[in-house]
Amino acid sequence: MQTTRSTVRDDILRAVGDAVWGPSVHNTQPWRFGVAGTRISLRADPDRRLDVADPDGREMLISCGAALYTLRLSLRALGYAPVVTMLPDPTRPHLLADVDLEPGEPADRQTLLAHAQIARRRSHRGGFRADPVPPEVLDAVRYDAGHEGARLIEAVDPHVTNALAALTDAAEHVQQRSPAYAAEIARWAPSPRTSRQDGVQERAYPQTVPQTTPNFAARDFARGHGWGVPSTPDAEAAGVVLLLVTPADTPSDWLRAGQALQRVWLRATESGLSVALHSQAFEVPELREFIRARFCAGGRPQLLLRLGVADAEALGTVRRPVEEVVTEET
């Protein structure tokens, strides 16, 4: 592939423009990108870390890992072979990855299909129809997670599903009792009157409190804003419940979890499915340890996903402009 400097620069901006559409906890978008020639450096933005819910930055790095996978995918779709070095400098913990652009082959059909889902992917915050998830899709997302160094464990036993729902609900109640947590949620739930390009906007949250069977508690971003109304009378299905786990619990594992999450999510979107995420129980250390010991088969739990066919159309979201997250470097 022959390229000019201006073409490479344009392609880098296109790829970063895709990367910012990766999922992030509370839509905090905790990333920055440095550009020097044909190298893109991904950095965490600690000012966007959730100090109360995520003091160790685990979810921040999962979010950045999702952006990293999206960046890799976009570069492959543009005909490059991205070479990724994760955590290249131990003295700079916020430098998460260097991505060097090498000439590659034209993108294959699967790469282009996955790339087409980047702007379509949305967080689902409700229940699902009773439609079953095709076994071949479950096989595919398990493969995708494994290819990125993580693993998906399905909660097949109804007792396990009920237990995970109860733990999620318990964590939500514990967190809501904390004034500091409530203030943090409020920070990332912008008022409908603002035009912020981050946080969970009004149009990204259903206007009724979602209920599922069993009930997986949703984040209460609507509290204090008057968005929500009482829950719908008929509960929907919870969908296929999956635990995303990694072999260990280091920053590199968190980055791999994020890459696996986005790869799985894009595959699900391509298959006509929606994904709901729950991290509440993983933000309460005692509950996360209980889940690890009881349900993770030796892995370290990072997130809980629910997969299924949603009743409603995907809700809206916003992203910061590319120029706000890109820095020129020498």
Side-chain angles (χ1 to χ4, degrees), residues 52-53 171-185 223:
V52 179
E172 181 68 17
H173 284 290
V174 166
Q175 291 175 318
Q176 290 293 348
R177 289 175 59 85
S178 164
Y181 174 82
E184 187 167 78
I185 282 283
R223 179 170 295 184

Side-chain angles (χ1 to χ4, degrees), residues 97-209:
D98 283 332
V99 182
D100 292 291
L101 277 61
E102 298 288 347
E105 299 296 328
D108 59 22
R109 178 177 177 275
Q110 184 53 51
T111 297
L112 294 176
L113 275 174
H115 180 264
Q117 312 311 313
I118 291 172
R120 295 182 61 236
R121 182 213 59 80
R122 294 288 187 275
S123 296
H124 181 62
R125 294 185 169 88
F128 299 105
R129 300 204 308 246
D131 307 46
V133 174
E136 61 270 20
V137 175
L138 288 175
D139 289 342
V141 296
R142 288 191 192 97
Y143 171 83
D144 289 335
H147 196 273
E148 298 300 329
R151 186 158 48 106
L152 287 174
I153 299 176
E154 182 180 353
V156 178
D157 188 326
H159 296 293
V160 174
T161 302
N162 289 333
L164 292 172
L167 290 166
T168 301
D169 188 58
E172 181 68 17
H173 284 290
V174 166
Q175 291 175 318
Q176 290 293 348
R177 289 175 59 85
S178 164
Y181 174 82
E184 187 167 78
I185 282 283
R187 177 191 174 192
W188 295 106
S191 162
R193 294 180 294 277
T194 70
S195 58
R196 281 177 50 179
Q197 298 297 300
D198 57 14
V200 181
Q201 310 286 316
E202 177 184 14
R203 65 178 183 267
Y205 204 82
Q207 294 301 296
T208 57
V209 179

